[in-house]
Amino acid sequence: MRYLNKEQVISKLMRRNKKDYLIVDGYNIINAWDELKDISITDLEHAREKLIDAIIEYAEFTGRLGIIVFDAYNIKSCKEKIEKRKNITIVYTKEHQTADSYIEKFIGTLSKYDDVKVATNDYAEQQIVLGKGASRITSRELKLDLENAKSKIKEKNTSSYKKIQRNWLEDRLDKETLSKLENIRRNR
């Protein structure tokens, strides 16, 4: 019989409790996607909500924990605000804190066994993320992942809808029994 040492036991437990994260640099993605960028010009809140809704849907489908970080770098006397919705967390950073610095700090708190993807187009941030053991995806790759997830959701919903058919007794009985029941019905 082989015994595990303390480090091996801890390592096994950590791998078992591994979590999958998708961390999104919110404004970076909004400015990278044309449809959100156009909306943000007139209504930044609406653009944020559209991104949040897309990430919620993606997180629910993939099982990843979504974290969207919006920075308040140039906003005076702003305090950090964390909002939880379904499978995601939305972070509004404090004054003088960028989304990049928040993301770097957050990744540092995670287990080395966690699967972490960071969505940003910021090249410097991508390099830092890779250096911390996370993977990075560009805004384009995130958009493709979201579209792929949406099509799989539609596929799943369509196939489950097709399975829902009428559930009538006449569909389950043989012709002889149906004939007898029909005769009984008519004689009444």
Side-chain angles (χ1 to χ4, degrees), residues 7-182:
E7 289 81 24
Q8 290 170 322
V9 170
I10 291 171
S11 176
K12 250 186 162 169
L13 288 172
M14 294 300 279
R15 268 185 254 138
R16 191 177 303 149
N17 294 328
K18 151 182 142 57
K19 295 179 181 167
D20 296 333
Y21 290 93
L22 171 65
I23 304 171
V24 178
D25 183 341
Y27 292 131
N28 186 282
I29 299 301
I30 286 174
N31 288 317
W33 291 354
D34 291 337
E35 66 275 8
L36 292 182
K37 189 175 185 176
D38 291 345
I39 294 169
S40 74
I41 292 168
T42 57
D43 190 356
L44 183 59
E45 180 65 26
H46 183 62
R48 277 195 301 250
E49 286 302 316
K50 285 189 75 79
L51 177 61
I52 290 167
D53 289 342
I55 300 302
I56 286 173
E57 188 174 37
Y58 178 79
E60 286 179 351
F61 180 73
T62 62
R64 285 191 173 272
L65 300 170
I67 299 168
I68 304 174
V69 183
F70 294 107
D71 56 28
Y73 185 73
N74 290 323
I75 299 175
K76 298 270 187 238
S77 65
C78 187
K79 293 183 176 146
E80 181 176 285
K81 179 181 161 195
I82 297 175
E83 183 182 329
K84 300 232 182 237
R85 292 196 208 171
K86 297 187 182 180
N87 290 348
I88 72 165
T89 302
I90 303 154
V91 178
Y92 299 91
T93 67
K94 61 187 173 190
E95 180 184 10
H96 301 301
Q97 184 180 28
T98 64
D100 297 351
S101 66
Y102 182 91
I103 291 168
E104 292 164 26
K105 188 176 172 183
F106 180 75
I107 291 172
T109 66
L110 300 177
S111 163
K112 67 179 180 179
Y113 299 108
D114 291 334
D115 182 23
V116 181
K117 282 185 177 181
V118 178
T120 182
N121 275 352
D122 183 336
Y123 181 76
E125 180 65 10
Q126 289 176 354
Q127 297 310 306
I128 292 168
V129 162
L130 290 171
K132 292 195 175 269
S135 59
R136 55 104 178 118
I137 58 174
T138 64
S139 64
R140 191 176 136 276
E141 291 169 322
L142 177 62
K143 189 171 197 157
L144 291 171
D145 282 355
L146 290 170
E147 288 170 358
N148 188 26
K150 276 185 181 183
S151 68
K152 286 182 179 177
I153 290 169
K154 279 183 185 177
E155 221 174 83
K156 185 177 177 184
N157 289 340
T158 303
S159 69
S160 63
Y161 178 76
K162 288 178 182 176
K163 289 178 186 175
I164 301 172
Q165 296 176 347
R166 66 183 204 163
N167 189 13
W168 292 8
L169 182 61
E170 69 184 47
D171 294 336
R172 297 175 176 218
L173 298 175
D174 61 89
K175 289 184 180 184
E176 183 181 335
T177 307
L178 271 174
S179 175
K180 287 179 183 177
L181 285 172
E182 183 63 23

